[in-house]
Amino acid sequence: MEKSGKFKEEIEKLRAEIRSHDYKYYIMNEPVISDKEYDLLIDRLKTLENKHPELITPDSPTQRISPDISNEFASRKHLKPMISIENSYNREEILAWDERIDRLLDGEKREYVVEPKIDGVSCALRYRKGILEMGLTRGDGESGEDITLNIKTIKSIPLVLMRDKGVPGLIEIRGEIYIDKKDFSGLNKSISERGLPVFANPRNAAAGSLRQKDPQITASRPLKFFAHSFGHLEGGDEILTQWDFLARCRKWGIRPVENAGFCRNIDEVISMCGTMENKRKDLQYEIDGMVIKVNSYKQQANLGSTMKNPRWALAYKFQASQATTRVNNILVQVGRTGVITPVAELEPVECAGVTISRSTLHNFDEIKRLDIKIGDTVLIERAGDVIPKVIKVITEKRTGKETDFVPPKTCPACSERIFKDIEEVAFYCVNPLCPAQLKEHLIHFGQRNAMDIEGLGESAVSQLVDKSLVKDVSDLYSLDKEKLLGLDLFKDKKAENLTSAIKKSMDQPLERLIYGLGIRHVGEKNAFILARKFGNMENLMDAGIENLNDIHEIGPVIADSVFRFFHSEKTRSLIKKLKDAGLNMSDEKSIEIPQIFKDKSVVFTGELKSLTRKEAEKIVRQRGGNAVSGVSSKTSFVVIGKEPGSKLAKAEKLGIKVLNEDEFTNMIKEGA
């Protein structure tokens, strides 16, 4: 008992120390320890909590990333409606608004707070007794989507408010989740290198990141948060003004919106709006205007709201950064996963301080929608002051010399035919040997969940391709130590390790090979289903579209993608080379596993102690079952680990059988 108490004391001390460092880093912008030292504190806390799981609390700094996958985002009511703010676009409209305020307050003296209008995603954070209870999107204003699991991954959002700073019993903090300009560029670069469509602007990137079903994906995105108001407050010290509220946020450990200004009159408001419009390009984050608020909460209450907008606030919107230029040509480029994207080559033009010479046209349907021709004069906008976008064609300037763009029928990198998925707008090259996709294919092929070739990382792949040692994945199996030692990256031991890992990968099960081939839309689960259904690579390659559509878990989009992939001559040639190299092409071992979960649907929730979530789901699939993320009336049973969450309650409500981890593992042993 004394020993447990000692660990509890150390755990609580570590949590307090980590929260203190979070406050200094995110609020004061004055870190006092290095990132490595901070990580060591987190690692020590994780170690102690793993040894004493009974001492883990939901608000611990280690609990930011949940193992649960959200099947859907439940709708929940805001404590008070999140109504929108009226827009204005010039000095005259700001003055007219101020005159209305003056009349409604009978000439009463007033002050204003002016805040940057962050171009992000609005959300509401609910804290009860200082602990983060819920995070909601704005939604329709009355209700929002519950994104609590994803909100918790954002490190600038405290899980616990600073308790010694007059924390209310209940408060709903409102603000914006956003991505910095620099982080946005890095995120898009990373996405582009994987051949995926990039985000149009930081706001879209933030919105897409918040709606990920897997919190681990959200955690990998560089999201941040600024607070700008509160929707509801109970208890705690009285707050009289907006300026006081922003200062109070800082004391609680919540980042208040930066670059806010206190203004004594409307002239100072207009001056600040002009200053910030000129300064916006120098900020680390995107803003599309300024929000003007009456400072006094008493005056705000007296002014009230209409059905749509608060009378005490006004948004001043900046002018969009636009320019006109000429389309000199339209080219197509191939992404690393085969996405074919049209790009407009523009007559260089300055827009928002940057010279623009290229703009993505996203897809061929967008070219039709805009009716763009080569030689057209177009209006471009630097969307979010980052991504140049063609807004419209100025048809009045056409001379008749413009020419239509003809989409290619073959890939510009490899000359293979390109295809369009049934439910998507983009065209793709499905040639596994396409040089534009080779590096990414190799990295995917060697990753842990595919062929598990340790040492086949980005640097190694780049050298192998650049030196022409590898022209497709089958060439990996002809590499030897001598060839690798001729590369700058490889020394004796590293060359031995990679060749050993490549040789070991030859015995991977068929499902791993199918997944490693990088077939569009085919993830680990579908790769397993295909291996189980067809038994060997030859049967899968010969499968007709009807055979694929007959598989319950395989929809028409996946069936079409698999059929096209395996009926490409380049694919068939590659498979033959892999077979000749000695790779396993059958699923015989898997077929022998007893199908104890045949036609059963299984849901896992909470943290399992002896298995990872992926391992547990794989066990179910290997034994004929289907591992799903959401509980429904069709669920056969739910397996629960530590802190199972809402899925357990739903299962009990529907009368679905619930198993603990030991019961699940015993079932496996008995079935085997």
Side-chain angles (χ1 to χ4, degrees), residues 436-452:
Q437 306 171 57
L438 179 56
K439 289 183 181 179
E440 191 68 21
H441 272 195
L442 288 166
I443 292 170
H444 174 80
F445 187 80
Q447 69 173 286
R448 182 174 296 178
N449 295 339
M451 301 301 280
D452 194 17

Side-chain angles (χ1 to χ4, degrees), residues 63 125 132 169 237 253 295 386 401 407 424 517 530 534 646-647:
Q63 301 303 297
L125 310 177
L132 180 63
D237 298 337
N295 187 35
V386 178
K401 294 181 180 180
E424 295 191 17
L517 289 172
L530 291 169
F534 295 103
S646 60
K647 292 178 186 177

Side-chain angles (χ1 to χ4, degrees), residues 11-27:
I11 285 172
E12 289 176 349
K13 183 179 177 183
L14 276 169
R15 288 174 185 165
E17 187 177 356
I18 290 167
R19 287 170 187 145
S20 174
H21 287 304
D22 286 342
Y23 182 83
K24 290 168 184 171
Y25 184 89
Y26 293 109
I27 307 303

